[in-house]
mmCIF file with all atom_site columns, all heavy atoms in Angstrom:
data_model
loop_
_atom_site.group_PDB
_atom_site.id
_atom_site.type_symbol
_atom_site.label_atom_id
_atom_site.label_alt_id
_atom_site.label_comp_id
_atom_site.label_asym_id
_atom_site.label_entity_id
_atom_site.label_seq_id
_atom_site.pdbx_PDB_ins_code
_atom_site.Cartn_x
_atom_site.Cartn_y
_atom_site.Cartn_z
_atom_site.occupancy
_atom_site.B_iso_or_equiv
_atom_site.pdbx_formal_charge
_atom_site.auth_seq_id
_atom_site.auth_comp_id
_atom_site.auth_asym_id
_atom_site.auth_atom_id
_atom_site.pdbx_PDB_model_num
ATOM 1   N N   . GLU A 1 134 ? -7.792  17.427 38.345 1.00 97.00 ? 1534 GLU A N   1
ATOM 2   C CA  . GLU A 1 134 ? -8.423  16.308 39.038 1.00 97.00 ? 1534 GLU A CA  1
ATOM 3   C C   . GLU A 1 134 ? -7.410  15.182 39.232 1.00 97.00 ? 1534 GLU A C   1
ATOM 4   O O   . GLU A 1 134 ? -6.568  14.921 38.373 1.00 97.00 ? 1534 GLU A O   1
ATOM 5   C CB  . GLU A 1 134 ? -9.616  15.796 38.221 1.00 97.00 ? 1534 GLU A CB  1
ATOM 6   C CG  . GLU A 1 134 ? -10.473 14.796 38.970 1.00 97.00 ? 1534 GLU A CG  1
ATOM 7   C CD  . GLU A 1 134 ? -11.848 14.643 38.343 1.00 97.00 ? 1534 GLU A CD  1
ATOM 8   O OE1 . GLU A 1 134 ? -12.251 15.532 37.570 1.00 97.00 ? 1534 GLU A OE1 1
ATOM 9   O OE2 . GLU A 1 134 ? -12.497 13.627 38.627 1.00 97.00 ? 1534 GLU A OE2 1
ATOM 10  N N   . LEU A 1 135 ? -7.497  14.494 40.385 1.00 98.00 ? 1535 LEU A N   1
ATOM 11  C CA  . LEU A 1 135 ? -6.610  13.361 40.634 1.00 98.00 ? 1535 LEU A CA  1
ATOM 12  C C   . LEU A 1 135 ? -6.893  12.260 39.606 1.00 98.00 ? 1535 LEU A C   1
ATOM 13  O O   . LEU A 1 135 ? -8.061  11.950 39.319 1.00 98.00 ? 1535 LEU A O   1
ATOM 14  C CB  . LEU A 1 135 ? -6.811  12.811 42.043 1.00 98.00 ? 1535 LEU A CB  1
ATOM 15  C CG  . LEU A 1 135 ? -6.448  13.741 43.212 1.00 98.00 ? 1535 LEU A CG  1
ATOM 16  C CD1 . LEU A 1 135 ? -6.689  13.034 44.536 1.00 98.00 ? 1535 LEU A CD1 1
ATOM 17  C CD2 . LEU A 1 135 ? -4.992  14.196 43.105 1.00 98.00 ? 1535 LEU A CD2 1
ATOM 18  N N   . VAL A 1 136 ? -5.853  11.662 39.100 1.00 97.00 ? 1536 VAL A N   1
ATOM 19  C CA  . VAL A 1 136 ? -6.004  10.645 38.058 1.00 97.00 ? 1536 VAL A CA  1
ATOM 20  C C   . VAL A 1 136 ? -6.830  9.457  38.537 1.00 97.00 ? 1536 VAL A C   1
ATOM 21  O O   . VAL A 1 136 ? -7.616  8.893  37.776 1.00 97.00 ? 1536 VAL A O   1
ATOM 22  C CB  . VAL A 1 136 ? -4.609  10.184 37.568 1.00 97.00 ? 1536 VAL A CB  1
ATOM 23  C CG1 . VAL A 1 136 ? -4.696  8.864  36.810 1.00 97.00 ? 1536 VAL A CG1 1
ATOM 24  C CG2 . VAL A 1 136 ? -3.984  11.242 36.672 1.00 97.00 ? 1536 VAL A CG2 1
ATOM 25  N N   . ARG A 1 137 ? -6.700  9.086  39.802 1.00 96.00 ? 1537 ARG A N   1
ATOM 26  C CA  . ARG A 1 137 ? -7.440  7.916  40.298 1.00 96.00 ? 1537 ARG A CA  1
ATOM 27  C C   . ARG A 1 137 ? -8.947  8.134  40.298 1.00 96.00 ? 1537 ARG A C   1
ATOM 28  O O   . ARG A 1 137 ? -9.711  7.163  40.420 1.00 96.00 ? 1537 ARG A O   1
ATOM 29  C CB  . ARG A 1 137 ? -6.963  7.530  41.693 1.00 96.00 ? 1537 ARG A CB  1
ATOM 30  C CG  . ARG A 1 137 ? -7.121  8.589  42.758 1.00 96.00 ? 1537 ARG A CG  1
ATOM 31  C CD  . ARG A 1 137 ? -6.535  8.081  44.085 1.00 96.00 ? 1537 ARG A CD  1
ATOM 32  N NE  . ARG A 1 137 ? -6.402  9.127  45.090 1.00 96.00 ? 1537 ARG A NE  1
ATOM 33  C CZ  . ARG A 1 137 ? -7.385  9.560  45.862 1.00 96.00 ? 1537 ARG A CZ  1
ATOM 34  N NH1 . ARG A 1 137 ? -8.591  9.027  45.740 1.00 96.00 ? 1537 ARG A NH1 1
ATOM 35  N NH2 . ARG A 1 137 ? -7.166  10.511 46.760 1.00 96.00 ? 1537 ARG A NH2 1
ATOM 36  N N   . ARG A 1 138 ? -9.385  9.372  40.159 1.00 97.00 ? 1538 ARG A N   1
ATOM 37  C CA  . ARG A 1 138 ? -10.824 9.651  40.126 1.00 97.00 ? 1538 ARG A CA  1
ATOM 38  C C   . ARG A 1 138 ? -11.393 9.621  38.700 1.00 97.00 ? 1538 ARG A C   1
ATOM 39  O O   . ARG A 1 138 ? -12.599 9.781  38.505 1.00 97.00 ? 1538 ARG A O   1
ATOM 40  C CB  . ARG A 1 138 ? -11.104 11.010 40.753 1.00 97.00 ? 1538 ARG A CB  1
ATOM 41  C CG  . ARG A 1 138 ? -10.806 11.048 42.254 1.00 97.00 ? 1538 ARG A CG  1
ATOM 42  C CD  . ARG A 1 138 ? -11.046 12.423 42.830 1.00 97.00 ? 1538 ARG A CD  1
ATOM 43  N NE  . ARG A 1 138 ? -10.761 12.463 44.270 1.00 97.00 ? 1538 ARG A NE  1
ATOM 44  C CZ  . ARG A 1 138 ? -10.666 13.571 44.981 1.00 97.00 ? 1538 ARG A CZ  1
ATOM 45  N NH1 . ARG A 1 138 ? -10.830 14.750 44.375 1.00 97.00 ? 1538 ARG A NH1 1
ATOM 46  N NH2 . ARG A 1 138 ? -10.397 13.520 46.271 1.00 97.00 ? 1538 ARG A NH2 1
ATOM 47  N N   . LEU A 1 139 ? -10.531 9.419  37.725 1.00 95.00 ? 1539 LEU A N   1
ATOM 48  C CA  . LEU A 1 139 ? -10.985 9.380  36.336 1.00 95.00 ? 1539 LEU A CA  1
ATOM 49  C C   . LEU A 1 139 ? -11.498 7.990  35.978 1.00 95.00 ? 1539 LEU A C   1
ATOM 50  O O   . LEU A 1 139 ? -11.129 6.985  36.600 1.00 95.00 ? 1539 LEU A O   1
ATOM 51  C CB  . LEU A 1 139 ? -9.829  9.740  35.389 1.00 95.00 ? 1539 LEU A CB  1
ATOM 52  C CG  . LEU A 1 139 ? -9.162  11.103 35.576 1.00 95.00 ? 1539 LEU A CG  1
ATOM 53  C CD1 . LEU A 1 139 ? -8.028  11.251 34.578 1.00 95.00 ? 1539 LEU A CD1 1
ATOM 54  C CD2 . LEU A 1 139 ? -10.166 12.233 35.428 1.00 95.00 ? 1539 LEU A CD2 1
ATOM 55  N N   . SER A 1 140 ? -12.327 7.921  34.941 1.00 93.00 ? 1540 SER A N   1
ATOM 56  C CA  . SER A 1 140 ? -12.774 6.627  34.431 1.00 93.00 ? 1540 SER A CA  1
ATOM 57  C C   . SER A 1 140 ? -11.609 5.930  33.734 1.00 93.00 ? 1540 SER A C   1
ATOM 58  O O   . SER A 1 140 ? -10.567 6.554  33.431 1.00 93.00 ? 1540 SER A O   1
ATOM 59  C CB  . SER A 1 140 ? -13.925 6.816  33.447 1.00 93.00 ? 1540 SER A CB  1
ATOM 60  O OG  . SER A 1 140 ? -13.455 7.457  32.261 1.00 93.00 ? 1540 SER A OG  1
ATOM 61  N N   . GLY A 1 141 ? -11.773 4.634  33.434 1.00 91.00 ? 1541 GLY A N   1
ATOM 62  C CA  . GLY A 1 141 ? -10.727 3.898  32.743 1.00 91.00 ? 1541 GLY A CA  1
ATOM 63  C C   . GLY A 1 141 ? -10.396 4.497  31.392 1.00 91.00 ? 1541 GLY A C   1
ATOM 64  O O   . GLY A 1 141 ? -9.220  4.613  31.014 1.00 91.00 ? 1541 GLY A O   1
ATOM 65  N N   . GLY A 1 142 ? -11.434 4.898  30.642 1.00 91.00 ? 1542 GLY A N   1
ATOM 66  C CA  . GLY A 1 142 ? -11.202 5.498  29.349 1.00 91.00 ? 1542 GLY A CA  1
ATOM 67  C C   . GLY A 1 142 ? -10.474 6.832  29.442 1.00 91.00 ? 1542 GLY A C   1
ATOM 68  O O   . GLY A 1 142 ? -9.601  7.147  28.618 1.00 91.00 ? 1542 GLY A O   1
ATOM 69  N N   . GLN A 1 143 ? -10.823 7.623  30.453 1.00 94.00 ? 1543 GLN A N   1
ATOM 70  C CA  . GLN A 1 143 ? -10.160 8.916  30.640 1.00 94.00 ? 1543 GLN A CA  1
ATOM 71  C C   . GLN A 1 143 ? -8.699  8.720  31.043 1.00 94.00 ? 1543 GLN A C   1
ATOM 72  O O   . GLN A 1 143 ? -7.811  9.438  30.579 1.00 94.00 ? 1543 GLN A O   1
ATOM 73  C CB  . GLN A 1 143 ? -10.903 9.730  31.699 1.00 94.00 ? 1543 GLN A CB  1
ATOM 74  C CG  . GLN A 1 143 ? -12.254 10.247 31.234 1.00 94.00 ? 1543 GLN A CG  1
ATOM 75  C CD  . GLN A 1 143 ? -13.078 10.827 32.371 1.00 94.00 ? 1543 GLN A CD  1
ATOM 76  O OE1 . GLN A 1 143 ? -12.886 10.483 33.547 1.00 94.00 ? 1543 GLN A OE1 1
ATOM 77  N NE2 . GLN A 1 143 ? -14.005 11.712 32.035 1.00 94.00 ? 1543 GLN A NE2 1
ATOM 78  N N   . GLN A 1 144 ? -8.445  7.737  31.907 1.00 94.00 ? 1544 GLN A N   1
ATOM 79  C CA  . GLN A 1 144 ? -7.063  7.452  32.283 1.00 94.00 ? 1544 GLN A CA  1
ATOM 80  C C   . GLN A 1 144 ? -6.243  7.028  31.068 1.00 94.00 ? 1544 GLN A C   1
ATOM 81  O O   . GLN A 1 144 ? -5.075  7.405  30.932 1.00 94.00 ? 1544 GLN A O   1
ATOM 82  C CB  . GLN A 1 144 ? -7.023  6.359  33.352 1.00 94.00 ? 1544 GLN A CB  1
ATOM 83  C CG  . GLN A 1 144 ? -7.503  6.806  34.716 1.00 94.00 ? 1544 GLN A CG  1
ATOM 84  C CD  . GLN A 1 144 ? -7.268  5.752  35.787 1.00 94.00 ? 1544 GLN A CD  1
ATOM 85  O OE1 . GLN A 1 144 ? -6.391  4.897  35.664 1.00 94.00 ? 1544 GLN A OE1 1
ATOM 86  N NE2 . GLN A 1 144 ? -8.076  5.806  36.841 1.00 94.00 ? 1544 GLN A NE2 1
ATOM 87  N N   . ARG A 1 145 ? -6.863  6.254  30.178 1.00 92.00 ? 1545 ARG A N   1
ATOM 88  C CA  . ARG A 1 145 ? -6.151  5.830  28.975 1.00 92.00 ? 1545 ARG A CA  1
ATOM 89  C C   . ARG A 1 145 ? -5.809  7.037  28.103 1.00 92.00 ? 1545 ARG A C   1
ATOM 90  O O   . ARG A 1 145 ? -4.737  7.105  27.495 1.00 92.00 ? 1545 ARG A O   1
ATOM 91  C CB  . ARG A 1 145 ? -7.002  4.839  28.180 1.00 92.00 ? 1545 ARG A CB  1
ATOM 92  C CG  . ARG A 1 145 ? -6.567  3.381  28.214 1.00 92.00 ? 1545 ARG A CG  1
ATOM 93  C CD  . ARG A 1 145 ? -5.099  3.239  28.259 1.00 92.00 ? 1545 ARG A CD  1
ATOM 94  N NE  . ARG A 1 145 ? -4.646  1.861  28.183 1.00 92.00 ? 1545 ARG A NE  1
ATOM 95  C CZ  . ARG A 1 145 ? -3.462  1.478  28.592 1.00 92.00 ? 1545 ARG A CZ  1
ATOM 96  N NH1 . ARG A 1 145 ? -2.642  2.346  29.144 1.00 92.00 ? 1545 ARG A NH1 1
ATOM 97  N NH2 . ARG A 1 145 ? -3.060  0.245  28.479 1.00 92.00 ? 1545 ARG A NH2 1
ATOM 98  N N   . ARG A 1 146 ? -6.722  8.005  28.020 1.00 94.00 ? 1546 ARG A N   1
ATOM 99  C CA  . ARG A 1 146 ? -6.446  9.205  27.229 1.00 94.00 ? 1546 ARG A CA  1
ATOM 100 C C   . ARG A 1 146 ? -5.314  10.031 27.841 1.00 94.00 ? 1546 ARG A C   1
ATOM 101 O O   . ARG A 1 146 ? -4.464  10.566 27.130 1.00 94.00 ? 1546 ARG A O   1
ATOM 102 C CB  . ARG A 1 146 ? -7.715  10.053 27.090 1.00 94.00 ? 1546 ARG A CB  1
ATOM 103 C CG  . ARG A 1 146 ? -8.669  9.556  26.011 1.00 94.00 ? 1546 ARG A CG  1
ATOM 104 C CD  . ARG A 1 146 ? -9.775  10.540 25.773 1.00 94.00 ? 1546 ARG A CD  1
ATOM 105 N NE  . ARG A 1 146 ? -10.790 10.460 26.807 1.00 94.00 ? 1546 ARG A NE  1
ATOM 106 C CZ  . ARG A 1 146 ? -11.679 11.405 27.060 1.00 94.00 ? 1546 ARG A CZ  1
ATOM 107 N NH1 . ARG A 1 146 ? -11.667 12.537 26.368 1.00 94.00 ? 1546 ARG A NH1 1
ATOM 108 N NH2 . ARG A 1 146 ? -12.594 11.249 27.994 1.00 94.00 ? 1546 ARG A NH2 1
ATOM 109 N N   . VAL A 1 147 ? -5.293  10.119 29.172 1.00 96.00 ? 1547 VAL A N   1
ATOM 110 C CA  . VAL A 1 147 ? -4.198  10.836 29.832 1.00 96.00 ? 1547 VAL A CA  1
ATOM 111 C C   . VAL A 1 147 ? -2.877  10.109 29.570 1.00 96.00 ? 1547 VAL A C   1
ATOM 112 O O   . VAL A 1 147 ? -1.839  10.737 29.316 1.00 96.00 ? 1547 VAL A O   1
ATOM 113 C CB  . VAL A 1 147 ? -4.453  10.960 31.345 1.00 96.00 ? 1547 VAL A CB  1
ATOM 114 C CG1 . VAL A 1 147 ? -3.241  11.590 32.042 1.00 96.00 ? 1547 VAL A CG1 1
ATOM 115 C CG2 . VAL A 1 147 ? -5.705  11.790 31.613 1.00 96.00 ? 1547 VAL A CG2 1
#
Side-chain angles (χ1 to χ4, degrees):
E1534 190 162 342
L1535 295 181
V1536 163
R1537 60 183 168 82
R1538 293 178 180 168
L1539 301 178
S1540 68
Q1543 289 169 336
Q1544 288 188 24
R1545 253 325 185 201
R1546 280 189 282 162
V1547 175

